[in-house]
Amino acid sequence: MAESMHAKRTDRCGNLRREDVGRTVTLCGWVAKRRNLGSLLFIDLRDVSGVAQITFDDTVDKGLFDKANGVRSEYCLCVTGKVRERGTDENKKMATGAIEVLAERLSILSKSETPPFEITGDCNAGEELRLKYRYLDLRRTEIKDCLVLRHKVCKIARDYYDANGFLEIETPMLCKSTPEGARDYLVPSRLHHGSFYALPQSPQLYKQLLMVAGYDRYMQIARCFRDEDLRADRQPEFTQIDLEMSFVDVDDVITVNEGFLKKVFKEVLSVDLKLPLPRMPYREAMDRFGSDKPDLRFGFEIKDITEIAAASDFKVFRDAVEQGGTVRGININGFADKISRKEIDSLTEFAKTYRAKGVAWLKFQGGEISGSFAKFITDEEKLKIASAFGAGGNDLILIVADKPKTVFASLGALRCEIAKRLGVIKKDDYKLLWITEFPLFEYSEEEERYVAMHHPFTSPMDEDKDMIESAPDKVRAKAYDIVFNGVEAGGGSIRIHDADLQERMFRAIGISEREARVKFGYLLDAFTYGVPPHGGMAYGLDRLIMLLADTQSIRDVIAFPKVQNASELMTESPSEVPEKSLLELGIKLADEK
Ligand code: ASP
């Protein structure tokens, strides 16, 4: 039977320390562990702050001891007792390990079924089971620590941006659908049959309208929705720390955000970030790392050997260059002896998933040069390649010859994969940088037109504006991403605030004047009433927390996450709704084929 609390809670379990010795405390929590040693019985009582050891002594109170003996894992208890020193039994691994509470009273607030999995750190239950019983999974310290960290970062964000003059303003959840970008989550309207709201993919247009309205520094911790097929680190609903500023250019946005990052790193990880953070133009990042989110915790930089390759007798290289391709590689310096032929084959298979047709290699070991194409090139060419990579000693060069896109994608992925396999990434190494000068457009093969790489409101760089019509692929944007250990943690841009330029931008991506009016008429109208120069950015909060917590799964940092097929296992959403609800919405389901 459930009992009431016999006294008011005085403390949280995890907060008790040696200074509390002698106090009589009342704790409430769940049974993490129970050990009966004959005349002594120990219960580790857990609440959100941590765990305290409660001791029941048979010789002090037999009735109480017997009651405690009937308690099982995850029972919810209220315990009163005196804090005493553990002395030589101190457990240095526990925050409360110096003390224990000698129980005087015990109420069983409620019993618990045997949990479907053990609620411990090294819990080896499958994720599906853990997510079905997420409320039990959330009791685990590992998940709880992530949520506490998340809370801290949100608080730092609110405090920091507030101190810098930002106002937190909420924007709507029921919005107008904007087909540009990812797929919208649609919400049918009951009052307007056949019409739909969209859940926001981001507060982008509203925050720009707030700038027109004169709220010159805005921030929001905003939920966003994108109905896309999920990748491992994506969720259909996710959270952004979103902000926008007026009367600014790129440097201003970056500077204010570096201040935020510095505070987060200091307060959460006790790490002093050195400011300003490095910046790297997109082009350089692609050339050196094959990625617009380079991981700088290790080297293996990409080098271009197209010229040497084009002049060689090696047909694979020559053909690739003749077809407009490029020949580049990475030097896994100092690791030739650690990468066997079998490993190279496996890396080649890996590169093929990035469309590379193969990987050519050269090994430098004991003064000898060997490799997949060593016999097709002259000694002089070998030396030229060695010098291009600064290779010698115990080095392995991996080369891909293909279309530039394939070469960058496969080498970029290879350098990360190899670093992971070799275990060269140090723990607690934090490498942050800004990637700047992104291309304004990217060509969509699927749609056979240029599309905005960031979004259509992103401003081109001043010196590139004239090329929008003549050389769209050369135009760089005032766009920037913050990259954290090889992951994009956020990004944004300075926006277009000039009607003519906006019109040229729409035209360049094939949006007619009429279409622009239908989709964004309200924004274009607003821009006729005095629009300040403005720009901003958004952090992916979930990803940021995942990086700070150094956890592998984005689901660890979200209280109630969805799984790969966008369903929630605990509530079993999405679910069918009664016919009546559909009728109200004017919706009839199509017959399933
Ligand atoms: N709205 C953008 C995004 O969601 C961020 C920004 O440009 O501020 O990526």
Side-chain angles (χ1 to χ4, degrees), residues 201-204 207 224 226 240 242-244 454-455 458 488 491-493 495 536-538:
Q201 292 190 24
S202 87
Q204 185 62 36
K207 67 175 175 175
C224 304
R226 294 182 193 173
Q240 287 187 341
D242 189 46
L243 52 109
E244 194 76 7
H454 188 46
H455 49 58
T458 292
E488 178 203 329
S493 61
R495 328 297 181 188
M537 69 176 284

Side-chain angles (χ1 to χ4, degrees), residues 293-313:
K293 31 186 176 297
D295 193 334
L296 300 189
R297 289 175 298 174
F298 49 89
F300 313 151
E301 283 191 28
I302 297 172
K303 297 276 184 299
D304 188 353
I305 55 158
T306 308
E307 250 175 61
I308 308 168
S312 79
D313 278 343

Side-chain angles (χ1 to χ4, degrees), residues 457 499 502 506 513 516-517 520-529:
F457 312 103
Q502 186 66 64
F506 281 143
E513 215 171 299
R517 278 232 58 88
F520 313 111
Y522 58 98
L523 185 80
L524 301 177
D525 284 346
F527 276 22
T528 64
Y529 291 99

Side-chain angles (χ1 to χ4, degrees), residues 150 185 199 223-227 230 234-239 542 558 560-562 568 573:
R150 185 179 178 116
Y185 269 99
L199 300 180
R223 193 68 62 83
C224 304
F225 304 83
R226 294 182 193 173
D227 189 4
L230 299 193
R234 291 242 174 115
Q235 285 278 307
E237 55 176 307
F238 59 97
T239 307
D542 313 285
I558 299 172
F560 299 104
K562 305 227 171 355
E568 201 207 298
S573 77

Side-chain angles (χ1 to χ4, degrees), residues 272-324:
D272 277 309
L273 272 193
K274 216 173 129 282
L275 299 186
L277 296 174
R279 295 188 202 177
M280 192 184 288
Y282 170 90
R283 196 57 262 161
E284 183 185 337
M286 291 307 285
D287 276 345
R288 290 174 57 192
F289 302 100
S291 166
D292 58 1
K293 31 186 176 297
D295 193 334
L296 300 189
R297 289 175 298 174
F298 49 89
F300 313 151
E301 283 191 28
I302 297 172
K303 297 276 184 299
D304 188 353
I305 55 158
T306 308
E307 250 175 61
I308 308 168
S312 79
D313 278 343
F314 187 37
K315 196 167 154 19
V316 175
F317 285 175
R318 283 226 324 266
D319 285 353
V321 180
E322 270 161 31
Q323 286 158 25

Side-chain angles (χ1 to χ4, degrees), residues 46-100:
R46 175 203 330 109
D47 68 14
V48 72
S49 65
V51 172
Q53 175 169 294
I54 319 289
T55 306
F56 295 84
D57 189 336
D58 189 13
T59 59
V60 174
D61 187 335
K62 173 92 174 80
L64 190 65
F65 182 94
D66 288 345
K67 187 172 183 182
N69 200 25
V71 155
R72 293 288 172 267
S73 280
E74 302 309 321
Y75 275 29
C76 184
L77 308 181
C78 175
V79 181
T80 299
K82 198 170 241 160
V83 182
R84 68 178 189 187
E85 201 132 1
R86 279 207 223 174
T88 49
D89 290 335
E90 176 168 352
N91 181 347
K92 290 229 159 74
K93 281 192 232 142
M94 257 172 110
T96 60
I99 58 94
E100 62 182 351

